[in-house]
């Protein structure tokens, strides 16, 4: 009897330790402890919207997207109707397509994305004329890359905001000479450049060289996203693929800059120390280039 009690106590202790471990892991990576100049959030549904909170400058932005517009989906999918993106995610089993697609669209690092659990197809040509905020249900019931702590933070963040605290950006740039409404991400980049800058990266003034192994278009897309954050990309260079073709963020400094850390977090590429020549950071895309491939 005593042995059984001891075994149960040991199991309880192990369970408690595991619970505490996962609690601190999630808390460590959550918005409760991370300080950000700007936070970008997507809610994908019938009324898809991109929200950008500016904590450093106090300026918030809101961009609504109609379901019938076609947008670039990185990874070789070409231009795809936005309202069917959920089905594509379901077929490919790649929720990261939300993050990659809207990072490419807005030329920014999308931090969090929320999407319906049933991946239904949406239709609609009209862009909402008024600012709207996500509902409580959308925050808590939607699937997301946000953990429990992040969802709690985001819930209270929206709870404390009023619609008039957002600036609406509705002038979507469309490709010319086509019969369809296709978002021109390059023209949209020109219109949005500077809106989503992060003061931290601008102040560091790190210069970045991007090295690609396939097509310059792939590197150009990533350069726009990185520059949209306020990070200076000063060179795109081609290098043939090698047998060791992993993505790398190469730095020469002993101390890690916030810019290098941001590239590491968003692109999930390891940071290594080496020679960077005239640049502060060299970003070797390696196999990661395929994930962001432009058709």
């Amino acid at each position: 009897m005593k042995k059984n009690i001891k075994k149960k106590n040991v199991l309880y202790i192990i369970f408690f330790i595991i619970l505490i471990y996962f609690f601190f892991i999630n808390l460590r990576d959550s918005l409760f402890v991370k300080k950000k100049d700007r936070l970008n959030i997507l809610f994908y549904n019938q009324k898809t919207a991109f929200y950008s909170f500016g904590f450093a400058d106090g300026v918030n932005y809101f961009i609504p997207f109609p379901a019938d517009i076609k947008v670039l989906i990185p990874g070789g999918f070409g231009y795809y109707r936005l309202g069917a993106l959920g089905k594509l995610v379901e077929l490919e089993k790649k929720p990261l397509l939300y993050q990659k697609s809207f990072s490419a669209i807005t030329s920014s690092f999308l931090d969090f994305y929320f999407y319906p659990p049933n991946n239904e197809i949406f239709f609609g040509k009209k862009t909402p004329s008024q600012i709207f905020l996500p509902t409580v249900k959308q925050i808590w019931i939607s699937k997301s890359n946000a953990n429990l702590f992040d969802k709690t933070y985001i819930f209270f963040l929206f709870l404390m905001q009023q619609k008039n605290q957002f600036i609406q950006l509705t002038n979507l740039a469309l490709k010319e000479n086509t019969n369809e409404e296709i978002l021109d991400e390059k023209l949209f980049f020109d219109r949005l450049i500077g809106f989503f800058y992060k003061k931290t990266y601008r102040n560091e003034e790190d210069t970045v060289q991007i090295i690609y192994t396939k097509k310059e278009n792939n590197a150009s897309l990533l350069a726009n996203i990185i520059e949209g954050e306020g990070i200076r990309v000063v060179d795109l260079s081609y290098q043939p693929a090698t047998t060791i073709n992993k993505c790398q963020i190469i730095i020469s400094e002993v101390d890690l800059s916030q810019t290098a850390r941001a590239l590491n977090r968003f692109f999930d590429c390891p940071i290594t120390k080496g020679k960077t020549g005239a640049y502060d950071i060299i970003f070797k895309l390696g196999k990661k280039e395929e994930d962001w491939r432009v058709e």
Side-chain angles (χ1 to χ4, degrees), residues 23-46:
F23 175 84
F24 280 107
I25 286 294
N26 282 295
L27 182 61
R28 182 193 65 188
D29 295 330
S30 76
L31 295 172
F32 281 101
V33 295
K34 284 183 178 178
K35 292 183 179 179
K36 283 182 171 288
D37 293 344
R38 181 164 290 278
L39 183 69
N40 300 323
I41 305 172
L42 167 74
F43 280 85
Y44 174 83
N45 47 54
Q46 179 62 54

Side-chain angles (χ1 to χ4, degrees), residues 209-228:
Q209 179 193 43
I210 297 178
I211 295 179
Y212 61 95
T213 61
K214 294 181 179 178
K215 292 184 179 180
E216 187 175 348
N217 283 348
N218 303 332
S220 294
L221 175 68
L222 295 181
N224 286 352
I225 294 172
I226 293 169
E227 287 188 330

Side-chain angles (χ1 to χ4, degrees), residues 76-238:
F77 297 101
Y79 288 90
Y80 209 84
R81 202 176 65 81
L82 185 61
L85 177 57
K87 277 297 179 184
L88 178 64
V89 167
E90 183 179 38
L91 291 171
E92 296 292 326
K93 297 181 173 58
K94 293 180 179 179
L96 271 175
L97 286 176
Y98 290 115
Q99 186 178 46
K100 291 175 181 175
S101 300
F102 278 88
S103 292
I105 291 168
T106 61
S107 297
S108 69
F109 290 175
L110 179 64
D111 297 292
F112 296 103
Y113 51 90
F114 292 74
Y115 59 101
N118 53 0
N119 289 320
E120 59 185 295
I121 297 176
F122 302 112
F123 297 92
K125 294 183 178 180
K126 291 184 179 180
T127 301
S129 58
Q130 294 183 339
I131 294 171
F132 56 87
L133 302 182
T135 65
V136 174
K137 182 178 178 181
Q138 286 173 337
I139 295 174
W140 291 110
I141 304 300
S142 297
K143 289 186 177 181
S144 175
N145 65 328
N147 63 36
L148 178 62
F149 297 102
D150 293 327
K151 282 191 173 185
T152 303
Y153 181 94
I154 291 168
F155 169 74
F156 283 106
L157 184 62
F158 277 104
L159 189 66
M160 293 185 292
Q161 304 299 319
Q162 300 295 323
K163 294 177 183 178
N164 60 9
Q165 292 176 284
F166 289 85
I167 297 174
Q168 184 170 357
L169 307 175
T170 56
N171 190 13
L172 299 179
L174 301 178
K175 287 185 179 291
E176 297 179 355
N177 303 320
T178 64
N179 295 324
E180 299 177 292
E181 289 195 334
I182 303 174
L183 186 71
D184 188 329
E185 69 284 347
K186 294 178 182 178
L187 182 56
F188 204 36
F189 165 76
D190 292 337
R191 292 182 181 178
L192 292 179
I193 189 68
F195 281 86
F196 306 130
Y197 277 176
K198 292 184 173 64
K199 187 178 179 181
T200 299
Y201 310 147
R202 297 295 288 176
N203 290 343
E204 286 186 336
E205 296 185 336
D206 280 359
T207 56
V208 179
Q209 179 193 43
I210 297 178
I211 295 179
Y212 61 95
T213 61
K214 294 181 179 178
K215 292 184 179 180
E216 187 175 348
N217 283 348
N218 303 332
S220 294
L221 175 68
L222 295 181
N224 286 352
I225 294 172
I226 293 169
E227 287 188 330
E229 286 287 297
I231 301 169
R232 292 176 60 204
V233 177
V234 295
D235 182 68
L236 307 178
S237 293
Y238 170 80

Side-chain angles (χ1 to χ4, degrees), residues 204 206 246-276 280-284:
E204 286 186 336
D206 280 359
K246 295 179 180 178
C247 66
Q248 287 180 298
I249 296 163
I250 303 172
I251 61 171
S252 59
E253 297 293 330
V254 175
D255 296 328
L256 282 179
S257 66
Q258 290 300 315
T259 302
R261 292 178 189 273
L263 293 172
N264 161 252
R265 284 194 302 269
F266 186 78
F267 292 105
D268 192 25
C269 293
I271 296 173
T272 60
K273 292 179 182 178
K275 294 180 180 180
T276 59
D280 296 301
I281 299 170
I282 295 178
F283 182 14
K284 289 188 174 183

